[in-house]
DNA sequence: CAGTATCCAGATCGATACTG
DNA sequence: CAGTATCGATCTGGATACTG
């Protein structure tokens, strides 16, 4: 698989990566797009402290238990959130965003902001394309 | 559907969007994740000028005709690339990146660079998670 | 050359039911 | 409470064959 491309600055860096590293980089960026990961992460970022599973589920509207579990596991595996389990009955589990998770959101914010600002240009392009 | 969240600066902007605009914003960002769109766009960005379909296909290694067609159509629909068809036999079609497309790549580059630089932290997190 | 059409495998996600 | 297990609808992408 070839390196990622993009612009020159980024390109040069990407060329220094092994194939495994390049794949992981792509995977991390890709995670931005899946339906729930980013939203879940941002909910944890917005909280004052750690959150229980069910609190997260309340705030990420529309998510199923299954999808939330999966999203949280992935985020945990990549070091973006922490998971703390308490040996109690009923069980309590607390999730919190990590410094790397916050970094990640800080990287995404400008892109998202740009997209939001550009939304009318995209709408215009689509109207033109769909119309004729 | 709730607004996107993220950090405060971005949040404030996102709150001003209609639901349709918010959905489109999300869709644009989401396109980063699909397997070929970004790569295709970056190939067009790297070229000196417009490229024919088959030239793009050569450079985006491993892509199928079907996937390339789909990726290019989506990029065109969102105004990120242009498509010019020449009434010749055999047919010639030329694709080129637009200013908005370049803008988009410029937004993505820092994120990608950050991910590439952080790749060892992600590997470490995974090793820890997978190990125990 | 630049597609379209068709079929197929695998992944994703929601809904539901069940459990330590 | 915080999951896991299972099923089914939907989507994605690859391979192949065909066409203006």
């Amino acid at each position: 698989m070839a390196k990622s491309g993009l612009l020159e600055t980024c390109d040069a860096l990407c060329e220094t990566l092994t194939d495994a590293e390049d794949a992981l980089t792509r995977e991390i960026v890709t995670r931005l797009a899946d339906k729930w990961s980013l939203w879940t992460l941002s909910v944890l970022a917005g909280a004052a402290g750690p959150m229980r599973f069910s609190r997260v589920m309340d705030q990420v509207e529309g998510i199923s238990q299954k999808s939330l579990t999966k999203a949280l596991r992935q985020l945990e595996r990549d070091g973006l959130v922490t998971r703390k389990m308490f040996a109690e009955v009923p069980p309590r589990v607390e999730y919190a965003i990590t410094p790397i998770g916050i970094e990640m959101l800080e990287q995404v914010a400008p892109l998202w902001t740009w997209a939001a600002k550009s939304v009318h240009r995209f709408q215009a392009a689509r109207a033109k394309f769909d119309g004729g």
Side-chain angles (χ1 to χ4, degrees), chain A:
Chain A
M1 172 112 106
K3 305 304 179 188
S4 311
L6 294 178
L7 275 14
E8 295 80 25
T9 342
C10 186
D11 230 9
L13 173 61
C14 289
E15 291 296 341
T16 69
L17 302 177
T18 64
D19 280 0
E21 289 166 350
D22 190 57
L24 181 53
T25 301
R26 177 175 290 267
E27 205 181 319
I28 295 297
V29 175
T30 293
R31 198 107 36 246
L32 298 183
D34 82 29
K35 196 169 176 184
W36 302 111
S37 292
L38 192 58
W39 193 356
T40 301
L41 193 61
S42 73
V43 160
L44 289 171
M51 290 177 79
R52 303 184 61 157
F53 185 88
S54 45
R55 291 289 132 260
V56 180
M57 186 145 165
D58 290 343
Q59 300 227 6
V60 183
E61 295 165 45
I63 199 170
S64 65
Q65 269 189 335
K66 177 180 160 186
S67 296
L68 181 55
T69 299
K70 188 184 166 197
L72 286 169
R73 284 288 181 284
Q74 284 181 336
L75 293 169
E76 185 195 0
R77 182 157 116 97
D78 290 337
L80 302 173
V81 314
T82 57
R83 176 179 187 271
K84 221 179 293 181
M85 226 177 84
F86 298 85
E88 304 173 2
V89 178
R92 180 164 55 106
V93 179
E94 287 187 342
Y95 294 92
I97 194 168
T98 65
I100 309 185
I102 293 174
E103 261 183 60
M104 170 111 167
L105 286 181
E106 287 169 347
Q107 300 302 316
V108 174
L111 170 66
W112 202 287
T113 302
W114 171 83
K117 280 186 189 159
S118 307
V119 75
H120 295 106
R121 290 192 286 170
F122 289 120
Q123 282 181 330
R126 287 203 171 181
K128 190 179 165 192
F129 183 91
D130 295 344

